[in-house]
């Protein structure tokens, strides 16, 4: 065969062009899996599945281009760009969140657009352009070697489609052999990507979201029976020693952005404490400090923490309740306490639309929302996502003292946010020296937040509120992701961050300061879902009639374990990570593979029950005894100069 004949055949070979597109994309995706994602590959079958799983989706999506005949090359190139962009978006997202993008997350991005710049840019690298290398190669080939490629019939499309489906079914069959019920026990997206691939996961996610949307429409009051029975069987009665000890007191929640428990009592090499104020509060006689308390957030991060703390329900497996389920009926802390004569308010140095707060706070029953419009948002006072913590607390005090008592309030801090860079002059505290900029800066921003909290406590004392107010301080979620494990091993003084140590790093501080009540350091295991019943019982409100999944941390019947949204858990004795069971005492893998089974079964049941409530909006069918439902339409957060709804701040002052 001469050169001219070979060139002619190649120029008309749409299958060859397709094969090149598929192979390049396949290799790139597999490389990304190995370089960027920590998917927990445990055996040879999983290695094989990870290698082949990009193939079926690549064949399917690129194969669709064969339907367009003369535009086949163009459609393949566009398809490559879209899939490459999706892959890269997942890479950038995973670098901080250790998770994959879902459809609800895309909705959140739209809601929060314009406020993510610094954080997003810090996750990118100039070398990332190589994730689009095959896109440019295809363009070059389309303009040269394959300039005259066309498709004359659809036979080739049918063959590629059949091959794609066969490959997927083969992939799924092997995956189910290694991980039974893969598609029905999908609490952890890492499993789905590991076994089926990032692109097949996206298809699965779209299907799940369509299914989720239909669940509410098909639900009725009979669906709540199982949840009620589960709740009654797992209710932790209040401890008589503490029940009602804070009756009638004001309540202040403070969300401590990205603060993890390893910072408490941590000292820098020169002996300086990172959080000296919080360290002193740990030993305050009227403060409970829970040292084994875990965040339980999902993709909604700070908003998920708020949802857990105020509703004692778990967040969604995909996306955020604040964005995706804001129209649901809730029986949140502000609404419950409204029936006890409480006024409620949120203080936040960002704008009210961020995380859709202006909508969901109405469903929670908040009377007032003091957002960025109420603060002096100068360039000097702001960073990252809004107002710096020190001016935030300072400017909040006049608004707080103007509220009618008793009040229930929440303060959401912002300064200790990824990537933790500080402006010149904000702190003279030294950065860490661990070879990782993000980790190094974390010590400075955490110290700044600690100073802001001390300032706030001093202002509470000066205002006269301190002696009649419960103050709940909680870390909302992790600050340092697993992508910084090398530096974190140095911080903790260990050889490596093992799965058990990584689970323990999800501990966040919880302080509950109760005037006149003897506190102390608490060692029981708990999570954010447990805070609501704990605080309500301190206020003398029994939660037995509420549909919640928390267990009073001070109850003698407290269950002593905390689950994570992906189905893992931590207990006093055991830690489960990706279906493997470790000792909570030694961090070593346990020989008895069934040791975690009982708690694991309880974890799965509890998450399924909570998901029933959230996805089906079951609280619309349920009214606890003594609870007065609220109407979200009664609330209107119109800003400091509004005349409708609540009084203006100027008038209150």
């Amino acid at each position: 065969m001469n050169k001219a004949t070979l060139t002619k055949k190649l120029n008309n070979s749409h299958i060859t062009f397709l094969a090149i597109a598929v192979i390049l994309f396949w290799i790139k995706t597999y490389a990304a899996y190995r370089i960027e994602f920590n998917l927990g590959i445990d055996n040879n079958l999983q290695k094989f599945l990870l290698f082949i799983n990009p193939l079926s989706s690549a064949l399917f999506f690129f194969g669709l281009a064969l339907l367009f005949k003369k535009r086949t090359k163009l459609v393949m190139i566009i398809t490559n760009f879209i899939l490459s962009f999706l892959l890269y978006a997942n890479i950038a997202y995973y670098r901080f969140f250790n998770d994959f993008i879902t459809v609800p997350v895309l909705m959140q991005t739209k809601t929060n657009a314009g406020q993510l710049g610094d954080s997003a840019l810090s996750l990118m690298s100039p070398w990332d352009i190589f994730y689009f290398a095959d896109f440019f190669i295809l363009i070059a080939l389309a303009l040269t070697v394959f300039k005259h490629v066309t498709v004359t019939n659809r036979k080739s499309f049918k063959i590629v489609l059949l091959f794609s489906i066969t490959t997927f079914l083969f992939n799924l069959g092997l995956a189910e052999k290694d991980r039974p019920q893969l598609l029905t026990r999908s609490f952890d997206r890492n499993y789905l990507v590991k076994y089926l691939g990032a692109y097949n996961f996206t298809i699965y996610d779209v299907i799940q979201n369509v299914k989720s949307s239909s669940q509410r429409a098909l639900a009725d009051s009979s669906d709540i029976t199982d949840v009620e029975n589960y709740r009654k069987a797992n209710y932790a009665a209040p401890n008589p020693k503490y029940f009602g000890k804070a009756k009638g007191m004001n309540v202040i929640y403070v969300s401590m952005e990205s603060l993890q428990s390893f910072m408490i009592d941590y000292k820098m090499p020169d002996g300086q404490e990172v959080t000296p104020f919080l360290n002193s509060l740990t030993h305050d006689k009227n403060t409970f400090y829970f040292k084994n308390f875990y965040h339980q957030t999902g993709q909604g991060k700070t908003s998920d923490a708020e949802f857990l703390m105020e509703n004692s329900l778990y967040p969604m497996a995909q996306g955020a309740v604040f964005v995706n389920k804001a129209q649901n009926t809730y029986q949140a802390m502000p609404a419950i306490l409204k029936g006890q004569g409480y006024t409620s308010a949120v203080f936040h140095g960002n704008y009210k639309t961020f995380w859709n707060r202006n909508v969901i706070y109405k469903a929670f029953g908040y009377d007032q929302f003091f957002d960025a419009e109420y603060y002096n948002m100068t360039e000097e006072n702001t960073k990252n996502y809004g107002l710096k913590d020190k001016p935030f607390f300072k400017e909040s005090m006049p608004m707080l003292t103007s509220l009618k008592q008793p009040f229930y309030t929440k303060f959401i801090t912002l300064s200790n946010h990824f990537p933790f860079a500080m402006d010149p002059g904000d702190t003279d505290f030294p950065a860490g020296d661990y070879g990782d900029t993000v980790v190094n800066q974390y010590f400075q921003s955490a110290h700044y937040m600690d100073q802001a909290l001390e300032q706030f406590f001093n202002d509470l004392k000066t205002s006269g509120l301190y002696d009649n107010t419960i103050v709940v301080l909680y870390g909302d979620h992790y600050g340092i992701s697993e992508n910084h494990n090398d530096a974190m091993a140095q911080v903790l003084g260990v050889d490596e961050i093992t799965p058990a140590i990584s689970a323990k790093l999800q501990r966040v501080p919880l302080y509950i300061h109760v005037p006149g009540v003897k506190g102390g350091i608490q060692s029981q295991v708990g999570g954010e879902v447990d805070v609501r019943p704990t605080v309500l019982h301190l206020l003398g409100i029994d939660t037995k009639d509420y549909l919640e999944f928390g267990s009073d941390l001070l109850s003698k019947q407290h269950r002593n374990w905390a689950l994570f949204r992906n189905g893992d858990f931590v207990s006093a004795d055991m830690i489960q990570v990706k279906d493997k069971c470790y000792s909570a005492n030694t961090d070593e893998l346990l020989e008895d593979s069934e040791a975690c089974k009982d708690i694991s079964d309880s974890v799965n049941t509890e998450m399924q029950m909570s998901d029933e409530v959230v996805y089906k909006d079951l609280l619309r069918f349920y009214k606890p005894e003594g609870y007065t439902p609220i109407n979200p339409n009664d609330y209107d957060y119109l800003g400091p100069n509004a005349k409708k709804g609540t009084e203006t701040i100027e008038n209150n002052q």
Side-chain angles (χ1 to χ4, degrees):
M1 183 181 294
N2 60 38
K3 185 176 180 180
T5 304
L6 179 62
T7 301
K8 184 178 180 180
K9 285 193 172 184
L10 192 60
N11 282 348
N12 289 284
S13 179
H14 54 278
I15 293 297
T16 303
F17 189 76
L18 171 70
I20 292 172
V22 168
I23 291 171
L24 287 176
F25 191 75
W26 183 5
I27 293 171
K28 176 182 71 176
T29 302
Y30 179 70
Y33 287 169
R34 302 298 295 186
I35 296 169
E36 301 287 355
F37 305 138
N38 179 22
L39 298 174
I41 307 302
D42 296 323
N43 56 50
N44 290 330
L45 177 57
Q46 291 180 11
K47 291 178 182 178
F48 177 69
L49 288 169
L50 190 72
F51 176 69
I52 69 163
N53 73 40
L55 180 58
S56 64
S57 47
L59 285 169
F60 176 76
F61 288 113
F62 285 111
L64 291 176
L66 298 176
L67 294 173
F68 292 86
K69 297 185 177 180
K70 293 183 179 181
R71 296 182 180 179
T72 295
K73 292 181 299 179
L74 176 62
V75 174
M76 282 192 196
I77 291 169
I78 292 172
T79 299
N80 178 279
F81 180 79
I82 293 171
L83 293 178
S84 296
F85 183 82
L86 176 61
L87 175 66
Y88 181 65
N90 271 307
I91 288 169
Y93 188 79
Y94 196 92
R95 284 173 180 169
F96 180 70
F97 294 105
N98 287 103
D99 202 353
F100 295 93
I101 291 175
T102 62
V103 172
V105 164
L106 295 177
M107 294 175 63
Q108 293 162 204
T109 303
K110 181 179 178 180
T111 303
N112 299 340
Q115 305 187 54
L116 307 173
D118 290 344
S119 296
L121 288 174
S122 67
L123 299 171
M124 299 178 183
S125 164
W127 295 104
D128 293 344
I129 191 66
F130 286 102
Y131 287 117
F132 293 88
D134 58 329
F135 170 70
F136 297 109
I137 291 173
L138 289 180
I139 292 176
L141 290 174
L143 295 175
T144 56
V145 179
F146 294 93
K147 189 173 182 178
H148 303 294
V149 165
T150 59
V151 179
T152 58
N153 60 67
R154 295 189 176 185
K155 182 179 179 181
S156 55
F157 166 72
K158 295 176 181 178
I159 294 172
V160 172
L161 179 62
L162 179 62
F163 190 28
S164 170
I165 294 172
T166 303
T167 304
F168 174 75
L169 293 176
F170 174 70
N171 185 161
L172 180 61
L174 290 178
E176 283 283 347
K177 181 179 178 181
D178 194 62
R179 171 74 176 181
Q181 298 178 303
L182 175 66
L183 298 180
T184 56
R185 296 177 63 240
S186 56
F187 294 126
D188 191 341
R189 281 171 288 279
N190 275 287
Y191 284 127
L192 292 170
V193 173
K194 174 170 68 175
Y195 287 111
L196 300 181
Y199 314 105
N200 288 330
F201 161 72
T202 300
I203 296 172
Y204 170 83
D205 179 53
V206 171
I207 294 171
Q208 288 298 102
N209 276 277
V210 172
K211 179 181 176 182
S212 170
S213 299
S214 67
Q215 282 181 305
R216 185 184 188 278
L218 298 175
D220 60 43
S221 57
S222 64
D223 292 330
I224 210 163
T225 303
D226 288 342
V227 180
E228 286 185 89
N229 293 336
Y230 177 84
R231 166 62 177 153
K232 290 175 182 177
N234 292 275
Y235 167 66
N239 189 332
K241 181 179 179 180
Y242 301 112
F243 186 74
K245 294 298 182 182
K247 188 175 181 63
M249 288 187 182
N250 301 314
V251 181
I252 295 176
Y253 276 38
V254 179
S255 170
M256 300 185 292
E257 174 64 39
S258 300
L259 189 65
Q260 291 171 247
S261 292
F262 75 86
M263 281 296 195
I264 306 303
D265 287 329
Y266 193 91
K267 292 183 179 180
M268 303 299 285
D270 63 1
Q272 289 193 73
E273 297 178 58
V274 181
T275 57
F277 172 68
L278 290 176
N279 297 347
S280 68
L281 200 61
T282 301
H283 304 286
D284 179 82
K285 66 178 182 179
N286 297 131
T287 300
F288 296 94
Y289 171 61
F290 298 86
K291 66 179 184 179
N292 291 314
F293 180 78
Y294 290 81
H295 85 85
Q296 298 172 300
T297 62
Q299 293 183 319
K301 293 297 182 271
T302 298
S303 71
D304 279 355
E306 293 182 63
F307 181 70
L308 280 150
M309 298 283 287
E310 297 192 306
N311 293 276
S312 198
L313 298 169
Y314 294 104
M316 297 170 66
Q318 295 150 303
V321 172
F322 271 43
V323 175
N324 302 102
K325 300 295 179 182
Q327 305 303 324
N328 278 14
T329 297
Y330 297 105
Q331 293 158 5
M333 281 283 281
I336 293 171
L337 292 178
K338 187 182 296 293
Q340 305 295 319
Y342 278 70
T343 302
S344 58
V346 182
F347 299 81
H348 185 36
N350 199 341
Y351 290 94
K352 59 189 176 185
T353 55
F354 196 65
W355 279 123
N356 202 36
R357 287 186 171 101
N358 60 317
V359 175
I360 201 160
Y361 283 168
K362 296 175 184 178
F364 288 176
Y366 273 108
D367 295 315
Q368 181 64 294
F369 183 9
F370 300 110
D371 76 327
E373 294 182 24
Y374 291 88
Y375 295 94
N376 184 24
M377 302 291 287
T378 63
E379 184 176 351
E380 180 184 3
N381 282 355
T382 56
K383 64 168 287 191
N384 285 343
Y385 292 76
L387 197 65
K388 296 176 183 177
D389 292 348
K390 288 183 179 180
F392 168 61
F393 282 123
K394 181 180 179 180
E395 294 181 33
S396 295
M397 283 307 300
M399 294 182 275
L400 177 65
T401 55
S402 73
L403 294 176
K404 179 184 176 183
Q405 299 186 49
F407 56 68
Y408 170 83
T409 59
K410 175 171 60 181
F411 291 77
I412 304 170
T413 65
L414 291 167
S415 292
N416 192 42
H417 196 288
F418 180 86
F420 312 112
M422 299 298 296
D423 290 338
D426 279 346
T427 182
D428 58 1
F429 194 78
D433 185 19
Y434 301 104
D436 185 314
T437 301
V438 169
V439 174
N440 292 345
Q441 292 174 162
Y442 188 56
F443 294 91
Q444 294 177 304
S445 59
H447 181 77
Y448 173 86
M449 180 171 64
D450 184 75
Q451 290 180 320
L453 291 169
E454 182 177 24
Q455 166 199 307
F456 180 52
F457 267 62
N458 289 335
D459 288 343
L460 289 176
K461 293 175 182 177
T462 302
S463 70
L465 293 173
Y466 185 77
D467 292 330
N468 190 43
T469 301
I470 296 179
V471 182
V472 179
L473 307 175
Y474 68 97
D476 57 352
H477 54 76
Y478 67 80
I480 306 298
S481 73
E482 292 179 359
N483 295 302
H484 304 277
N485 275 355
D486 289 344
M488 283 304 301
Q490 296 181 55
V491 171
L492 300 181
V494 297
D495 293 333
E496 65 172 333
I497 303 299
T498 64
I501 293 175
S502 181
K504 289 181 179 180
L505 276 172
Q506 306 315 305
R507 284 182 291 194
V508 293
L510 173 66
Y511 296 88
I512 302 180
H513 175 79
V514 190
V517 177
K518 184 179 179 181
I521 298 175
Q522 307 293 306
S523 60
Q524 58 268 44
V525 176
E528 289 165 331
V529 76
D530 299 323
V531 174
R532 189 177 92 164
T534 306
V535 173
L536 286 176
H537 288 170
L538 284 167
L539 294 172
I541 302 170
D542 199 332
T543 61
K544 62 181 174 63
D545 291 326
Y546 287 93
L547 291 186
E548 61 182 18
F549 294 90
S551 170
D552 182 348
L553 291 163
L554 299 174
S555 171
K556 295 178 181 179
Q557 300 166 2
H558 178 65
R559 62 192 169 200
N560 216 23
W561 53 259
L563 65 81
F564 299 123
R565 183 59 256 199
N566 65 358
D568 294 341
F569 70 82
V570 176
S571 74
D573 302 313
M574 293 169 290
I575 298 172
Q576 179 174 285
V577 180
K578 295 181 179 177
D579 282 348
K580 292 185 178 180
C581 197
Y582 299 84
S583 166
N585 298 314
T586 66
D587 299 337
E588 298 293 329
L589 186 66
L590 293 175
E591 292 183 7
D592 182 3
S593 60
E594 296 293 306
C596 285
K597 186 179 185 304
D598 288 345
I599 298 180
S600 181
D601 289 345
S602 297
V603 163
N604 289 331
T605 300
E606 181 139 316
M607 279 197 295
Q608 289 168 2
M609 289 292 175
S610 180
D611 286 349
E612 286 275 302
V613 174
V614 174
Y615 285 96
K616 293 184 177 181
D617 190 15
L618 293 184
L619 290 178
R620 61 191 159 131
F621 302 123
Y622 184 77
K623 180 181 175 296
E625 184 177 348
Y627 174 77
T628 302
I630 57 101
N631 182 357
N633 295 324
D634 291 342
Y635 306 95
D636 209 342
Y637 311 130
L638 296 176
N641 299 312
K643 300 298 181 183
K644 181 182 176 182
T646 59
E647 295 181 17
T648 64
I649 294 303
E650 292 84 356
N651 289 341
N652 283 339
Q653 291 178 333

